[in-house]
Amino acid sequence: MGADFGYRGKGLGLPEEGPGSVAPLGRRFGALFIDWTLCMLIAYGLLARGDQQAAGNWALGIFFVLSLLTVGTIGCTPGKRLLGVRVVADDGGRLGVVRVAVRTVLLLLVIPALVWDRDGRGLHDRLSRSVQVRM
């Protein structure tokens, strides 16, 4: 029927299971939900003064800063840390600040994050040459 490309992450040289393997989609979506909820709480409680529309706008900026600071330094956001996911460069190293910024902007645009390749990476990860792996 079609070509067998193996397990997710095989083309990247990652293990099939365990630490260092491609993180499952459920964990990645869960981490994003936790991070977005945290950003909305910060925006609503500290910056928006009860205005829900303003809180959503502020949350985008807070998410960008949160992602830039945490993924750029330790490789994971609070939600990713809780669920055991880390963002690494596709060669296994740490992402630089520019690559983290590109990844985050594309993630905030939503559509690039919904276009996946055979390894389960969103377009935002692919263009920033990163992959989300299990810790």
Side-chain angles (χ1 to χ4, degrees), residues 67-120:
S67 188
L68 198 63
L69 292 176
T70 58
V71 174
T73 56
I74 60 172
C76 57
T77 60
K80 288 185 188 329
R81 180 73 177 154
L82 284 172
L83 297 181
V85 177
R86 214 173 60 153
V87 180
V88 297
D90 56 7
D91 63 2
R94 197 171 59 110
L95 288 180
V97 176
V98 173
R99 286 168 64 181
V100 172
V102 167
R103 181 185 183 281
T104 305
V105 167
L106 291 171
L107 180 61
L108 289 173
L109 292 174
V110 178
I111 299 300
L114 298 176
V115 178
W116 299 325
D117 65 6
R118 70 184 86 170
D119 289 317

Side-chain angles (χ1 to χ4, degrees), residues 8 30 37-38 40 43 46-48 72 79 99 122-123 132:
R8 290 184 345 180
T37 301
L38 177 65
M40 283 297 289
L46 298 178
L47 302 170
R99 286 168 64 181
L123 192 57
Q132 296 183 59

Side-chain angles (χ1 to χ4, degrees), residues 39-53:
C39 292
M40 283 297 289
L41 287 172
I42 292 169
Y44 190 77
L46 298 178
L47 302 170
R49 296 190 176 103
D51 182 7
Q52 289 182 343
Q53 177 66 35

